[in-house]
Amino acid sequence: MSSQRVFKSSDHMQVSDGEPIRSVVQESEHSVIVAWHVEPGQTIAAHTHPEGQDTWIILSGHGDYQIDEQGNTVVVTSGDVVVAKRGQVHGVTCTSKEPLRFISVVAPIEAGYVRLPPRSRVDT
């Protein structure tokens, strides 16, 4: 087990032309810490952690943070701490001109991950 206790988030941010990359900073028997770099227009799909909590610390940029299965969102921006408790829907789309960068802490390690199916579009 590593004794390192201080990590530079910038060392873990990975740019991607496709979907954002989940870059693990540190994993233990208790939690996983992930660095996210989300380019403008990119989305982290709506999902839940059925057995745990996902806490995000927004470092830069801003985005539309999905808060329910209906697709309702709130704006998150640098300096925000965002908490999705056990089973709560969450996902984000970067709406800023610069990347949305944040750290995610998922606990416990057995939190699980369930991606929501894409929402049906109803044409009127």
Side-chain angles (χ1 to χ4, degrees):
M1 179 174 234
S2 173
S3 62
Q4 183 176 358
R5 295 176 58 188
V6 177
F7 302 87
K8 298 240 180 262
S9 62
S10 59
D11 291 345
H12 299 276
M13 299 292 174
Q14 296 184 48
V15 179
S16 169
D17 290 334
E19 290 189 22
I21 296 173
R22 177 183 182 271
S23 179
V24 175
V25 175
Q26 178 69 32
E27 188 171 324
S28 73
E29 64 275 12
H30 304 289
S31 64
V32 62
I33 302 166
V34 177
W36 288 97
H37 177 106
V38 186
E39 285 288 317
Q42 287 182 332
T43 297
I44 295 175
H47 62 282
T48 65
H49 301 281
E51 300 300 326
Q53 177 172 298
D54 192 357
T55 303
W56 296 2
I57 300 93
I58 310 297
L59 304 174
S60 64
H62 55 84
D64 289 338
Y65 178 82
Q66 186 171 338
I67 58 171
D68 59 27
E69 291 182 35
Q70 292 72 39
N72 292 306
T73 62
V74 296
V75 174
V76 295
T77 191
S78 72
D80 288 348
V81 175
V82 185
V83 179
K85 294 181 181 177
R86 178 180 172 178
Q88 289 183 321
V89 172
H90 58 290
V92 72
T93 298
C94 178
T95 57
S96 55
K97 292 182 180 178
E98 69 274 1
L100 173 65
R101 297 174 73 159
F102 64 94
I103 299 297
S104 164
V105 180
V106 178
I109 194 71
E110 302 88 9
Y113 173 88
V114 176
R115 186 173 177 161
L116 271 63
R119 292 183 311 137
S120 300
R121 183 175 174 175
V122 178
D123 294 332
T124 55

